[in-house]
Amino acid sequence: MERGDDLRDAIAEMVRSEVKAIGDELAPLISEIVRTELMPALRAVIRDAILRELSASYGGDEIVDIRECSPRRAFSEPEEIRRSAEPTVKEEAVAETVHADENGLYLYCLADASVSTSLGCLGIDGCEVYTIPHEGVSAVVHSCPLEPYRSDDEETVKRWVKSHQQVVDLAAERFGTVMPFGFDTIIAPKDSCTAEEVLKKWISDELEEIRRKMEKIRGRKEYGIQIFYDPAVFSERIENESDDVRRIKEEMTSKPPGVAYMYRQKLEAAVRKELDELMGAYFKEFYEKIRSNAEDIKVEKVRKSDGGMVMMMNLSVLASDEMALGHVLDGIAAEPGITVRFTGPWQPYSFV
């Protein structure tokens, strides 16, 4: 009986020693996995919890990036500009300062010309579009109610936006350089001033900045550039070329199944790390190539992609030479695993 107890104790001691040896061997690997895998996930969970708490504190509405919702302007717009995105309380406050029969002005763009003319009934919902000249520039507008253009019908909204763009394009054909404004930009009367008087005062106050912007966009158009990469293609390339990845693979082949699993986690983390570094280098290289053929660039928020591709960069580009820009993008698209989406030309909404 005592010999059996001694044997069990000996076996238990051997197991403890083996477990300790495996633990000592895996300790650096576990530490690295915790740092690269678990900690980022934990931080993401904490951020989500904070956002949920903030959302609950502000009435349960989803928190969004204001930059994604707000028109981009480098100069001050008149306070009387109203959009559907503005809070209802502000709309009510403005409405109280005007008479019910007073209209606002829907502003399509500013043209670099001083001309008073009608462009015809081609505005949103067939409204007559005309120009208001002031200080050497002309506002392209139509008279409208103070309520923003809102509809639950997606096709109606698309039709409005299309009409808006067609007016801006026509103004560019007729007058040359135009400074476009976003859809649903409405100027309201204020106190004893009509919407036209408010508009003219704003033009006078911002004339220097308006002329600077006009000069910046003269002869140039906006283009959208999105560059995607295939993570499977580049992960395979890294596994074939990386010395670190090759070393981890070699170490993994000699390990028992439990330890090999941990090494597979380490291998995936190493590939992701090198993939991030490689995409960072590509981003810098591609950005510099595009920048050399553009007057200005804005880096936009990347979006989710379909078909296994990942968006590397999303750019709005102001350029005067479409062919030169397209040639650069053809070279980028020739890289294995890289796809380029090139759209435009558009009026330079992002640069005014």
Side-chain angles (χ1 to χ4, degrees):
M1 187 67 177
E2 291 180 359
R3 290 184 59 189
D5 291 340
D6 290 342
L7 180 60
R8 283 194 296 271
D9 290 344
I11 293 174
E13 182 60 32
M14 291 172 61
V15 170
R16 284 194 293 269
S17 298
E18 185 65 21
V19 169
K20 183 178 184 302
I22 293 174
D24 292 342
E25 182 178 353
L26 290 179
L29 181 60
I30 294 172
S31 177
E32 182 176 352
I33 291 174
V34 169
R35 178 179 61 82
T36 60
E37 299 291 324
L38 299 184
M39 292 306 295
L42 180 59
R43 291 191 182 99
V45 170
I46 293 172
R47 285 196 300 269
D48 289 343
I50 293 172
L51 287 176
R52 285 195 299 271
E53 184 65 26
L54 288 173
S55 178
S57 300
Y58 286 93
D61 295 331
E62 182 182 1
I63 295 176
V64 297
D65 189 340
I66 294 176
R67 294 170 298 177
E68 290 292 303
C69 304
S70 302
R72 288 170 290 193
R73 292 283 181 262
F75 51 85
S76 301
E77 293 178 326
E79 294 180 357
E80 291 68 37
I81 286 183
R82 304 173 61 216
R83 294 184 178 82
S84 59
E86 292 182 341
T88 302
V89 63
K90 181 176 180 181
E91 294 173 359
E92 293 173 351
V94 173
E96 290 174 356
T97 67
V98 299
H99 298 295
D101 59 348
E102 288 185 306
N103 280 347
L105 289 174
Y106 184 101
L107 180 60
Y108 292 92
C109 61
L110 293 179
D112 189 18
S114 182
V115 58
S116 178
T117 188
S118 172
L119 300 182
C121 298
L122 45 77
I124 294 174
D125 289 339
C127 290
E128 181 187 7
V129 178
Y130 59 97
T131 61
I132 298 176
H134 185 65
E135 300 275 14
V137 299
S138 297
V140 180
V141 302
H142 76 243
S143 179
C144 67
L146 297 180
E147 292 77 15
Y149 283 88
R150 288 175 176 168
S151 175
D152 294 329
D153 181 20
E154 183 177 348
E155 293 304 315
T156 297
V157 175
K158 287 181 180 179
R159 187 179 72 249
W160 287 342
V161 172
K162 184 178 179 181
S163 296
H164 176 101
Q165 186 57 48
Q166 287 174 338
V167 170
V168 175
D169 288 339
L170 177 61
E173 292 177 9
R174 290 279 296 271
F175 309 123
T177 303
V178 297
M179 179 184 296
F181 282 76
F183 171 75
D184 210 19
T185 301
I186 297 174
I187 299 178
K190 183 177 181 182
D191 301 327
S192 59
C193 296
T194 65
E196 181 172 335
E197 290 169 338
V198 170
L199 173 62
K200 288 181 175 179
K201 182 180 184 305
W202 171 71
I203 291 175
S204 296
D205 291 343
E206 298 292 335
L207 187 60
E208 182 178 350
E209 184 64 17
I210 289 172
R211 286 177 172 164
R212 189 186 71 81
K213 286 290 184 181
M214 288 285 193
E215 191 58 37
K216 176 181 179 179
I217 64 177
R218 192 183 311 281
R220 300 178 175 105
K221 295 292 185 181
E222 178 175 334
Y223 300 89
I225 298 174
Q226 297 175 337
I227 299 180
F228 305 82
Y229 70 91
D230 187 338
V233 170
F234 287 98
S235 294
E236 182 179 358
R237 171 178 157 184
I238 290 169
E239 290 189 25
N240 292 333
E241 298 178 359
S242 170
D243 292 336
D244 288 342
V245 171
R246 188 181 300 110
R247 176 182 53 78
I248 296 172
K249 279 185 171 181
E250 291 172 354
E251 293 176 357
M252 186 170 62
T253 58
S254 62
K255 303 299 179 182
V259 178
Y261 171 79
M262 304 298 290
Y263 270 84
R264 282 195 295 273
Q265 297 294 103
K266 182 179 180 180
L267 176 64
E268 292 175 3
V271 171
R272 279 196 296 271
K273 179 176 179 293
E274 294 204 21
L275 180 61
D276 289 343
E277 292 174 352
L278 180 59
M279 290 305 107
Y282 267 126
F283 185 101
K284 183 178 180 181
E285 176 188 345
F286 295 162
Y287 181 90
E288 292 300 327
K289 288 181 177 180
I290 295 169
R291 184 70 182 87
S292 64
N293 289 274
E295 278 66 43
D296 198 1
I297 290 181
K298 289 188 181 295
V299 179
E300 311 288 2
K301 184 177 180 180
V302 296
R303 296 177 174 84
K304 290 184 179 180
S305 310
D306 297 326
M309 301 295 284
V310 176
M311 186 182 292
M312 179 196 304
M313 63 170 61
N314 182 19
L315 306 176
S316 296
V317 177
L318 184 68
S320 57
D321 192 337
E322 181 176 332
M323 290 187 63
L325 187 59
H327 180 71
V328 168
L329 296 178
D330 286 343
I332 292 174
E335 291 275 354
I338 297 292
T339 301
V340 177
R341 182 181 298 161
F342 184 33
T343 58
W346 317 108
Q347 297 300 330
Y349 287 93
S350 299
F351 299 93
V352 298

